[in-house]
């Protein structure tokens, strides 16, 4: 059953409510093996609930989830062995050294000393070797985040779920983490990422799902999602310290800095028409250029009610 045609994660009609709050409303999606997949959405979209269902930490009210063909409820033990979860919340276990924590975690999955070389490799690759004898409370937030990743990987899962893995992490540490995660992906591991750093998702992920209010808004390749965006962005630079746009263009302002504006216009609008409006208003045009839509632009357009 464990062949490449079987999805890494299959989610079908998953429903989950907390009293009268519907966290997930019949969500269905399939994540192929070996993919680098982003699960995005604003706060309260249902991302953490869906991840908890996938990891077997929360039971869905309806629907099912399978990890490489193993149901997370009826076949929990095998499903849990196939997945590693890096949660948002940091831990502060005060009694055991980092190296011992990892060995204990390996023991939960039935591994003994034969797994210790892999644990040592994780400690080296994640820059934790020099900290292996220390306890969690003595570590910085970034180092604690690395320990969580190591804990998720001790049993060599086929699927790794990263829930906001770089929150509160400095740039250098973030780059180091992504270098290591890319190596794991290159070796065939399926990676699922949630992040509020949308530039990370755009650079790393091949496929993207966007949730809002417990519903799936989009499921597409990153490139197709960007190409389908209905808006295009034109950067206009005007001459003069007191330069101003004509009133007819004020509603199209996406952002502004000094005498430079980025305008959001319907895709396909003729640029010559824009230039004509500026000239008729007496604006002295210094430069005009197109800017590709970013994943953040697409995300804001899809998840902000004001832009729909």
């Amino acid at each position: 059953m464990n062949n490449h045609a079987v999805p890494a994660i299959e989610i079908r009609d998953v429903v989950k409510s907390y009293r009268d709050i519907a966290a997930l409303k019949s969500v269905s999606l399939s994540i192929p093996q070996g993919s680098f997949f982003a699960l995005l959405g604003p706060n309260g979209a249902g991302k953490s609930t869906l991840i908890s269902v996938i990891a077997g930490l929360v039971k869905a009210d309806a629907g099912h989830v399978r990890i490489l063909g193993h149901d997370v409820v009826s076949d929990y033990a095998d499903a849990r062995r196939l997945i590693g979860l890096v949660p948002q919340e940091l831990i502060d276990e005060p009694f055991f050294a980092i190296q011992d924590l990892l060995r204990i975690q390996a023991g939960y999955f039935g591994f003994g000393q034969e797994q210790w070389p892999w644990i040592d490799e994780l400690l080296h690759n994640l820059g934790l070797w020099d900290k292996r004898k220390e306890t969690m409370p003595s570590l910085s937030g970034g180092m604690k985040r690395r320990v969580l990743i190591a804990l998720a990987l001790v049993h060599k899962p086929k699927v790794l779920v990263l829930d906001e893995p770089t929150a509160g992490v400095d740039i250098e540490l973030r780059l180091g983490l992504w270098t290591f995660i890319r190596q794991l992906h290159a070796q065939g591991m399926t990676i699922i990422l949630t992040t509020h750093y949308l530039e990370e998702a755009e650079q790393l992920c091949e496929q993207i799902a966007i949730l809002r209010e417990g519903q799936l808004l989009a499921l597409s390749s990153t490139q197709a999602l960007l190409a389908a965006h209905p808006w295009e962005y034109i950067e206009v630079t005007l001459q003069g310290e007191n330069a101003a746009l004509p009133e007819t263009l004020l509603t199209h302002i996406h952002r502004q800095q000094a005498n430079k504006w980025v305008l959001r216009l319907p895709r396909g609008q003729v640029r010559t028409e824009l230039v004509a409006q500026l000239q008729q208003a007496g604006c002295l045009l210094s430069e005009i250029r197109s800017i590709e839509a970013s994943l953040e632009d697409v995300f804001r357009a899809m998840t902000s009610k004001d832009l729909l």
Side-chain angles (χ1 to χ4, degrees), residues 248-260:
T248 54
L249 294 175
L250 295 183
T251 57
H252 295 289
I253 294 175
H254 184 59
R255 59 178 179 267
Q256 177 191 0
Q257 184 178 7
N259 61 338
K260 183 178 293 186

Side-chain angles (χ1 to χ4, degrees), residues 89-307:
E89 297 79 14
L90 298 177
I91 62 173
D92 262 327
E93 162 39 61
F95 299 111
F96 295 101
I98 304 308
Q99 187 175 60
D100 294 331
L101 273 180
L102 296 176
R103 292 175 177 179
I104 292 169
Q105 179 81 347
Y108 290 151
F109 291 94
F111 294 106
Q113 293 187 19
E114 75 278 3
Q115 203 74 349
W116 289 7
W118 169 240
I119 289 173
D120 289 348
E121 188 176 334
L122 286 174
L123 290 168
H124 281 292
N125 284 331
L126 288 166
L128 291 166
W129 183 254
D130 292 340
K131 305 289 186 180
R132 68 190 184 280
K133 300 296 185 183
E134 298 185 23
T135 58
M136 290 291 280
S138 68
L139 301 183
S140 67
M143 286 293 180
K144 290 176 183 177
R145 191 74 61 186
R146 295 188 195 196
V147 174
L148 292 180
I149 293 174
L151 286 167
L153 291 170
V154 290
H155 60 296
K156 294 188 175 180
K158 299 292 186 183
V159 179
L160 180 64
V161 180
L162 301 162
D163 194 0
E164 298 286 348
T166 55
V169 173
D170 63 52
I171 293 176
E172 183 178 354
L173 182 55
R174 186 181 301 170
L175 293 175
L177 287 176
W178 286 131
T179 297
F180 179 54
I181 297 302
R182 279 190 173 107
Q183 291 172 359
L184 295 174
H185 180 238
Q187 294 165 10
M189 184 176 288
T190 303
I191 311 290
I192 299 164
L193 168 70
T194 75
T195 179
H196 283 97
Y197 300 110
L198 296 183
E199 68 276 10
E200 287 185 345
E202 184 172 352
Q203 292 172 16
L204 294 165
C205 298
E206 304 148 346
Q207 285 192 304
I208 291 173
I210 297 178
L211 294 175
R212 191 185 72 184
E213 296 179 350
Q215 295 180 304
L216 186 66
L217 286 184
L219 176 62
S220 176
S221 72
T222 307
Q223 291 306 312
L225 194 62
L226 293 171
H229 188 49
W231 307 98
E232 60 181 313
Y233 299 87
I234 306 293
E235 184 181 84
V236 173
T237 305
L238 300 181
Q239 298 179 26
E241 293 182 2
N242 299 317
L245 288 177
E247 289 189 10
T248 54
L249 294 175
L250 295 183
T251 57
H252 295 289
I253 294 175
H254 184 59
R255 59 178 179 267
Q256 177 191 0
Q257 184 178 7
N259 61 338
K260 183 178 293 186
W261 291 262
V262 174
L263 304 178
R264 192 185 71 165
L265 301 167
R267 189 179 291 275
Q269 182 162 330
V270 181
R271 187 186 297 194
T272 53
E273 294 178 2
L274 175 60
V275 173
Q277 287 188 60
L278 293 169
Q279 290 175 339
Q280 290 172 7
C283 299
L284 299 177
L285 185 62
S286 177
E287 183 182 9
I288 184 170
R289 67 186 184 97
S290 297
I291 299 176
E292 292 295 327
S294 67
L295 182 58
E296 182 173 355
D297 295 325
V298 174
F299 178 83
R300 288 183 59 201
M302 295 193 71
T303 59
S304 174
K305 295 179 181 178
D306 295 335
L307 295 175

